[in-house]
Short mmCIF file of all heavy atoms in Angstrom, two decimals:
data_model
loop_
_atom_site.label_atom_id
_atom_site.label_comp_id
_atom_site.label_asym_id
_atom_site.label_seq_id
_atom_site.Cartn_x
_atom_site.Cartn_y
_atom_site.Cartn_z
N LEU A 240 -84.22 183.55 -50.29
CA LEU A 240 -84.15 185.01 -50.35
C LEU A 240 -84.60 185.46 -51.74
O LEU A 240 -83.88 185.25 -52.73
CB LEU A 240 -82.72 185.49 -50.08
CG LEU A 240 -82.49 187.01 -50.14
CD1 LEU A 240 -83.35 187.72 -49.11
CD2 LEU A 240 -81.02 187.34 -49.93
N PRO A 241 -85.78 186.07 -51.85
CA PRO A 241 -86.29 186.48 -53.18
C PRO A 241 -85.59 187.73 -53.69
O PRO A 241 -84.85 188.39 -52.96
CB PRO A 241 -87.77 186.75 -52.90
CG PRO A 241 -87.81 187.17 -51.47
CD PRO A 241 -86.73 186.39 -50.78
N GLU A 242 -85.85 188.05 -54.95
CA GLU A 242 -85.32 189.29 -55.51
C GLU A 242 -85.97 190.48 -54.83
O GLU A 242 -87.16 190.43 -54.49
CB GLU A 242 -85.59 189.35 -57.01
CG GLU A 242 -84.75 188.41 -57.85
CD GLU A 242 -84.90 188.69 -59.33
OE1 GLU A 242 -84.56 189.82 -59.76
OE2 GLU A 242 -85.35 187.79 -60.05
N PRO A 243 -85.21 191.57 -54.63
CA PRO A 243 -85.79 192.75 -53.97
C PRO A 243 -86.73 193.52 -54.89
O PRO A 243 -86.56 193.50 -56.12
CB PRO A 243 -84.57 193.58 -53.60
CG PRO A 243 -83.56 193.23 -54.64
CD PRO A 243 -83.79 191.78 -54.97
N GLU A 244 -87.70 194.18 -54.30
CA GLU A 244 -88.61 195.02 -55.07
C GLU A 244 -87.87 196.18 -55.71
O GLU A 244 -88.12 196.57 -56.85
CB GLU A 244 -89.72 195.53 -54.15
CG GLU A 244 -90.79 196.34 -54.84
CD GLU A 244 -91.86 196.81 -53.87
OE1 GLU A 244 -91.51 197.50 -52.89
OE2 GLU A 244 -93.03 196.46 -54.09
N ASN A 245 -86.91 196.74 -54.95
CA ASN A 245 -86.08 197.85 -55.43
C ASN A 245 -84.69 197.30 -55.75
O ASN A 245 -83.97 196.85 -54.86
CB ASN A 245 -86.00 198.95 -54.37
CG ASN A 245 -85.20 200.15 -54.84
OD1 ASN A 245 -84.72 200.18 -55.98
ND2 ASN A 245 -85.03 201.13 -53.98
N ALA A 246 -84.30 197.34 -57.04
CA ALA A 246 -83.02 196.77 -57.45
C ALA A 246 -81.83 197.48 -56.80
O ALA A 246 -80.74 196.90 -56.69
CB ALA A 246 -82.89 196.83 -58.97
N ALA A 247 -82.01 198.74 -56.36
CA ALA A 247 -80.89 199.48 -55.75
C ALA A 247 -80.45 198.84 -54.43
O ALA A 247 -79.32 199.04 -53.99
CB ALA A 247 -81.30 200.93 -55.51
N ILE A 248 -81.32 198.07 -53.79
CA ILE A 248 -80.98 197.42 -52.53
C ILE A 248 -79.83 196.43 -52.73
O ILE A 248 -78.99 196.24 -51.85
CB ILE A 248 -82.21 196.72 -51.93
CG1 ILE A 248 -83.24 197.76 -51.49
CG2 ILE A 248 -81.83 195.83 -50.75
CD1 ILE A 248 -84.50 197.17 -50.89
N THR A 249 -79.79 195.80 -53.91
CA THR A 249 -78.74 194.83 -54.19
C THR A 249 -77.36 195.44 -54.04
O THR A 249 -76.46 194.83 -53.44
CB THR A 249 -78.90 194.25 -55.61
OG1 THR A 249 -80.17 193.62 -55.72
CG2 THR A 249 -77.81 193.24 -55.91
N HIS A 250 -77.18 196.64 -54.57
CA HIS A 250 -75.88 197.30 -54.44
C HIS A 250 -75.52 197.55 -52.98
O HIS A 250 -74.38 197.32 -52.57
CB HIS A 250 -75.90 198.62 -55.21
CG HIS A 250 -74.68 199.45 -54.97
ND1 HIS A 250 -73.46 199.16 -55.52
CD2 HIS A 250 -74.49 200.55 -54.21
CE1 HIS A 250 -72.57 200.04 -55.11
NE2 HIS A 250 -73.17 200.91 -54.32
N GLU A 251 -76.50 197.98 -52.19
CA GLU A 251 -76.23 198.23 -50.77
C GLU A 251 -75.90 196.92 -50.06
O GLU A 251 -75.01 196.89 -49.19
CB GLU A 251 -77.44 198.90 -50.12
CG GLU A 251 -77.90 200.18 -50.78
CD GLU A 251 -76.85 201.27 -50.79
OE1 GLU A 251 -75.92 201.21 -49.95
OE2 GLU A 251 -76.93 202.16 -51.64
N LEU A 252 -76.58 195.84 -50.42
CA LEU A 252 -76.29 194.54 -49.81
C LEU A 252 -74.87 194.08 -50.13
O LEU A 252 -74.17 193.52 -49.27
CB LEU A 252 -77.29 193.49 -50.29
CG LEU A 252 -78.72 193.59 -49.74
CD1 LEU A 252 -79.60 192.51 -50.35
CD2 LEU A 252 -78.73 193.48 -48.22
N ILE A 253 -74.45 194.33 -51.36
CA ILE A 253 -73.09 193.95 -51.75
C ILE A 253 -72.06 194.74 -50.94
O ILE A 253 -71.04 194.20 -50.50
CB ILE A 253 -72.90 194.18 -53.26
CG1 ILE A 253 -73.67 193.11 -54.03
CG2 ILE A 253 -71.43 194.16 -53.65
CD1 ILE A 253 -73.71 193.33 -55.52
N THR A 254 -72.34 196.03 -50.74
CA THR A 254 -71.43 196.84 -49.92
C THR A 254 -71.38 196.32 -48.49
O THR A 254 -70.30 196.19 -47.90
CB THR A 254 -71.90 198.31 -49.92
OG1 THR A 254 -71.86 198.82 -51.25
CG2 THR A 254 -71.00 199.17 -49.04
N ILE A 255 -72.54 196.00 -47.92
CA ILE A 255 -72.61 195.53 -46.53
C ILE A 255 -71.95 194.17 -46.38
O ILE A 255 -71.04 193.98 -45.56
CB ILE A 255 -74.08 195.48 -46.06
CG1 ILE A 255 -74.68 196.89 -46.00
CG2 ILE A 255 -74.19 194.79 -44.70
CD1 ILE A 255 -76.17 196.92 -45.82
N ILE A 256 -72.39 193.19 -47.18
CA ILE A 256 -71.87 191.83 -47.05
C ILE A 256 -70.40 191.77 -47.42
O ILE A 256 -69.59 191.13 -46.74
CB ILE A 256 -72.69 190.86 -47.94
CG1 ILE A 256 -74.14 190.82 -47.48
CG2 ILE A 256 -72.09 189.47 -47.92
CD1 ILE A 256 -75.06 190.07 -48.41
N GLY A 257 -70.03 192.46 -48.50
CA GLY A 257 -68.64 192.43 -48.94
C GLY A 257 -67.68 192.95 -47.89
O GLY A 257 -66.64 192.33 -47.62
N ASN A 258 -68.00 194.07 -47.28
CA ASN A 258 -67.10 194.63 -46.26
C ASN A 258 -67.07 193.78 -44.99
O ASN A 258 -66.01 193.64 -44.36
CB ASN A 258 -67.53 196.07 -45.93
CG ASN A 258 -67.09 197.07 -46.98
OD1 ASN A 258 -65.91 197.27 -47.20
ND2 ASN A 258 -68.04 197.69 -47.65
N LEU A 259 -68.21 193.23 -44.59
CA LEU A 259 -68.22 192.37 -43.40
C LEU A 259 -67.40 191.11 -43.62
O LEU A 259 -66.66 190.67 -42.74
CB LEU A 259 -69.66 192.02 -43.02
CG LEU A 259 -70.52 193.16 -42.47
CD1 LEU A 259 -71.93 192.66 -42.16
CD2 LEU A 259 -69.89 193.77 -41.22
#
Side-chain angles (χ1 to χ4, degrees):
L240 179 60
E242 288 190 61
E244 184 180 58
N245 183 2
I248 292 180
T249 300
H250 172 74
E251 304 299 338
L252 287 178
I253 288 173
T254 298
I255 294 168
I256 297 171
N258 282 297
L259 290 179

